[in-house]
Amino acid sequence: MKIRDIVGVLGLLLITLSVSAQVVSKDSINMLKDQKQVLEVSKRLNDRKLELAKLENQVAQKTEDVATTAEKARKSAEENKIAAEKLGNNPQDKKDARRASKSAGSASRDAKRARRAVQNLEKLNKNIESLKKKIADDEAKLASLQGSGGGGR
C-alpha cells in the first residue's frame, strides 16, 4: 500500500512538473518573439536613420545645384533677349538670326535644367519628410514594445 502511495505521489509530481514546464516554455517563446520583434524594429530604425543622414547630406548639393542652374538660366535668358533685340533691329541678317536661334535653344535647355533641379530638391525634401515620419513611427512602436516588457534590456 505504501509503495502504491509513493508511486501515485511521484506520478502526480511528474504530471505537475510537465505542466509547469510547458507554461514556462510558452512564456519563454513569447518573450523571445517579443525580443525578436524589438530587434527587427531596431534594425529597421537604424537603417532608416542611416538613409536619412545620407539624404540630409545631399540637401546642400541639391540646393547649390538649384542656385547654379537658376543663375545660368537667367544669364541665358538675358543673352537670348539681347540676341532677339539685335535680330529685331535687322531681321534680314543671317548671322543675327543664327545667334538668336542658338541663344533661344540654350535658354530653353537651361530653363529646363533649372526646373529639373528644383524638382529634384523638392523630391529630396519630400523623401526626407517621409523618412522622418517613418522613423517617428518606428520609435513609437519600439517604445511601446519595450514598455510592454518585450525589450528585456
Side-chain angles (χ1 to χ4, degrees), residues 63-113:
T63 303
E64 185 179 323
D65 289 348
V66 167
T68 303
T69 56
E71 179 61 24
K72 188 165 182 167
R74 187 194 63 74
K75 286 180 181 177
S76 293
E78 185 65 32
E79 289 171 7
N80 183 44
K81 180 181 172 188
I82 293 168
E85 286 174 356
K86 280 185 181 179
L87 181 61
N89 293 337
N90 190 5
Q92 300 300 318
D93 189 357
K94 265 187 163 178
K95 193 174 180 182
D96 287 344
R98 196 173 17 243
R99 276 192 200 128
S101 177
K102 285 184 179 182
S103 67
S106 182
S108 174
R109 281 189 302 277
D110 289 343
K112 186 176 183 179
R113 285 186 189 122

Side-chain angles (χ1 to χ4, degrees), residues 38-87:
V38 166
L39 288 174
E40 288 171 352
V41 172
S42 294
K43 182 186 180 307
R44 187 173 61 222
L45 182 61
N46 279 344
D47 291 344
R48 287 181 173 165
K49 283 184 176 182
L50 286 172
E51 182 67 20
L52 178 63
K54 199 184 316 178
L55 292 178
E56 285 177 338
N57 286 338
Q58 293 176 6
V59 170
Q61 180 62 43
K62 297 285 184 183
T63 303
E64 185 179 323
D65 289 348
V66 167
T68 303
T69 56
E71 179 61 24
K72 188 165 182 167
R74 187 194 63 74
K75 286 180 181 177
S76 293
E78 185 65 32
E79 289 171 7
N80 183 44
K81 180 181 172 188
I82 293 168
E85 286 174 356
K86 280 185 181 179
L87 181 61

